[in-house]
Amino acid sequence: MKRIVAAFAASILLFAQPAAAQSILRDAETEAMFKDMSASIIKAAGLSTRDVQVVLINDDSINAFVVGGQTVYVHSGLIQAADNANQVQGVIAHEIGHIADGHVALADAGTKPAMGITLLSMVLGVAAIAAGSGEAGAGIMAAGQQAGLGKYLAFTRTQEASADAAGARYLNTAGVSGKGMISFFKKLQQQEYGYGLANIDPFMQSHPLSGERIANLTNDLQTAPAWNAKPDAALEERFKRVKAKLQGYVATPERTLAEYPATDNSVYAHYARAYAYHKAGYPDKADAEAAALIGAKPDDPYFQEIQGQILLEAGRPRDALAPLRAATAGTGNNPLIATTFGHALIATEDKANYAEAVKVLRIAVNRDNENPFAWYQLGTVYELTGDTARAALATAEQASMNGDHRTAAQSASYALANIPANTTDWIRAQDIAMAAQNDMEDNPKKYKRR
């Protein structure tokens, strides 16, 4: 009976959960673009640009979602499918609508009634089975599951329509054209036509059908002054670059080289091929593509970044230092680029570079303390310079971030015993040790030694 309850409950709740296997893609240029293209929309929603983040997910499906907090997750497949930056802004505006309206926090209002219908049908179905009507009991439970799911999907469609309306308001308030939102829905509508609209049950969808969404939004968007706002040419250029490099990174090299053949000498093609060749293990060809990018724009920090990354990962860390140092400076010490620079300094195995590596990596983790690789590199250089206490603190930071609270507690305790009391690092070690210890005490079975 308990297994049946769990199975029916899971059938509803799975519709509210994102895929667990999705991975985050970190890229300095992409994150800067997301930040700039979403800033005015976030402000229009009455939210803070310091709190709302737009994060790229490595998933080739066309999707974006929020799961709590104030983070918008955008699939790489959506970037690849979008025709322009304005379409992505329309999607982000919709997701910010979910955040501003508190839809994730209100999810129980949809799941509880649906669960109630499912559980009631289960009770009735089990009673019928017990009375000897096995087929009737199974039918009651199946019908209840269908009714419960339908109830939940009706709730989510209402939320999606609300997020559409809110997103349209934010675009209009921000002075961003809603053309991208409408054109992207039309793109989704074409997919529905391709599937066969007659085969789609509108009452068993988590979102309203795209045609309905377009009809609901068109008037509000077209009558707003923002509708005819000129596209941001600089933002559009940045989007094309990000789209090309993303193609080179996530697609197979064969597909990228087919889409951006050697005869294409555009910046976008060089960008895509640089990543494709690098990914495929052709460092000389990747280096040549990076050199073409530098030749086109010698002071572009993101072109300097890819050149330095290619050199570093080809086993030439000394050659990577100049472009990575320039890229770090050119982006105002962007933490992702600075981490790569710090890694290159360490990889030279030259003790003269270790002090600079410590400085660069400390700045990186201060600006982005949720970067495990940066903490790992900082711990490495501390160990190389004989500062075992701070190496332990860096290990504690990394372990805490990865949920390994036993290692976090042990490393933080060592740091506490060897770092001068009441300093910033000592206080941080104390915080980690206490948090890790509390988690272990609250979840003893999780940390039971085997």
Side-chain angles (χ1 to χ4, degrees):
M1 177 66 177
K2 289 181 179 179
R3 286 196 296 270
I4 295 174
V5 172
F8 274 87
S11 69
I12 290 177
L13 293 177
L14 281 176
F15 283 86
Q17 301 295 328
Q22 294 164 321
S23 59
I24 292 174
L25 293 176
R26 299 292 310 273
D27 174 67
E29 184 176 14
T30 302
E31 291 180 6
M33 181 195 72
F34 279 151
K35 182 178 180 180
D36 291 343
M37 69 163 42
S38 64
S40 61
I41 303 169
I42 293 168
K43 292 176 183 176
L47 302 172
S48 170
T49 55
R50 292 173 298 183
D51 298 329
V52 180
Q53 289 182 305
V54 183
V55 173
L56 184 64
I57 294 288
N58 188 5
D59 189 308
D60 62 5
S61 61
I62 304 173
N63 194 25
F65 61 91
V66 295
V67 290
Q70 297 190 36
T71 301
V72 174
Y73 296 94
V74 176
H75 285 200
S76 57
L78 188 146
I79 300 297
Q80 294 302 99
D83 297 323
N84 51 58
N86 190 228
Q87 288 186 349
V88 179
Q89 286 179 302
V91 172
I92 291 173
H94 167 88
E95 299 303 331
I96 290 173
H98 281 303
I99 294 172
D101 288 350
H103 286 169
V104 174
L106 296 173
D108 279 354
T111 56
K112 285 182 179 178
M115 190 72 72
I117 293 172
T118 304
L119 292 175
L120 176 61
S121 68
M122 262 179 36
V123 172
L124 296 175
V126 169
I129 293 172
S133 302
E135 187 174 339
I140 291 171
M141 288 192 286
Q145 182 184 20
Q146 188 81 353
L149 179 58
K151 180 77 171 178
Y152 176 73
L153 292 175
F155 174 79
T156 65
R157 287 194 300 274
T158 299
Q159 283 196 322
E160 295 300 332
S162 172
D164 282 347
R169 288 198 309 274
Y170 304 150
L171 290 171
N172 290 339
T173 301
V176 176
S177 176
K179 290 179 181 178
M181 177 177 267
I182 295 297
S183 62
F184 198 78
F185 282 145
K186 288 182 178 179
K187 185 182 290 287
L188 297 179
Q189 188 178 41
Q190 289 303 313
Q191 287 192 330
E192 293 170 0
Y193 287 143
Y195 177 76
L197 199 59
N199 297 321
I200 300 176
D201 181 353
F203 298 106
M204 294 306 292
Q205 306 302 311
S206 60
H207 293 60
L209 293 180
S210 299
E212 180 183 342
R213 302 172 82 173
I214 293 168
N216 290 338
L217 295 170
T218 297
N219 184 66
D220 288 341
L221 290 171
Q222 285 186 345
T223 56
W227 177 258
N228 291 314
K230 291 183 179 180
D232 185 329
L235 181 61
E236 186 59 30
E237 171 67 15
R238 293 167 68 184
F239 171 75
K240 290 178 180 177
R241 284 175 41 158
V242 164
K243 186 173 180 176
K245 74 189 292 188
L246 181 61
Q247 167 80 12
Y249 186 79
V250 302
T252 62
E254 294 78 12
R255 178 181 167 187
T256 300
L257 296 175
E259 193 161 331
Y260 295 95
T263 53
D264 186 346
N265 290 312
S266 67
V267 164
Y268 319 117
H270 286 304
Y271 221 177
R273 291 197 299 264
Y275 277 91
Y277 284 133
H278 183 51
K279 181 179 179 180
Y282 294 99
D284 292 341
K285 290 184 177 181
D287 192 34
E289 298 293 350
L293 292 171
I294 296 293
K297 290 189 175 182
D299 297 324
D300 190 300
Y302 302 115
F303 293 167
Q304 293 165 340
E305 178 196 17
I306 182 59
Q307 183 182 52
Q309 183 180 348
I310 289 168
L311 291 168
L312 171 61
E313 295 178 12
R316 299 165 59 188
R318 289 184 183 278
D319 294 333
L321 293 184
L324 288 175
R325 182 179 282 112
T328 301
T331 55
N333 291 300
N334 176 277
L336 294 178
I337 297 176
T339 297
T340 306
F341 178 36
H343 180 199
L345 288 164
I346 296 169
T348 63
E349 298 183 352
D350 184 346
K351 293 181 180 179
N353 289 327
Y354 292 165
E356 184 178 10
V358 170
K359 180 181 177 180
V360 166
L361 290 166
R362 281 201 71 114
I363 292 173
V365 296
N366 283 336
R367 294 193 173 191
D368 180 5
N369 64 1
E370 296 184 359
N371 185 342
F373 185 65
W375 284 114
Y376 174 78
Q377 292 300 322
L378 184 57
T380 298
V381 73
Y382 275 140
E383 193 72 37
L384 289 170
T385 56
D387 192 345
T388 57
R390 286 180 176 78
L393 176 56
T395 299
E397 292 277 10
Q398 184 184 7
S400 178
M401 201 177 309
N402 293 333
D404 182 1
H405 294 292
R406 176 177 286 127
T407 299
Q410 292 171 346
S411 298
S413 295
Y414 179 86
L416 271 173
N418 293 278
I419 292 175
N422 300 317
T423 60
T424 301
D425 287 341
W426 185 89
I427 292 170
R428 180 56 187 159
Q430 186 181 56
D431 290 344
I432 295 174
M434 291 177 64
Q437 191 62 42
N438 288 340
D439 186 82
M440 289 190 291
E441 290 174 358
D442 291 342
N443 302 281
K445 292 182 180 180
K446 179 180 176 183
Y447 296 97
K448 184 179 180 181
R449 292 190 180 276
R450 297 177 181 178

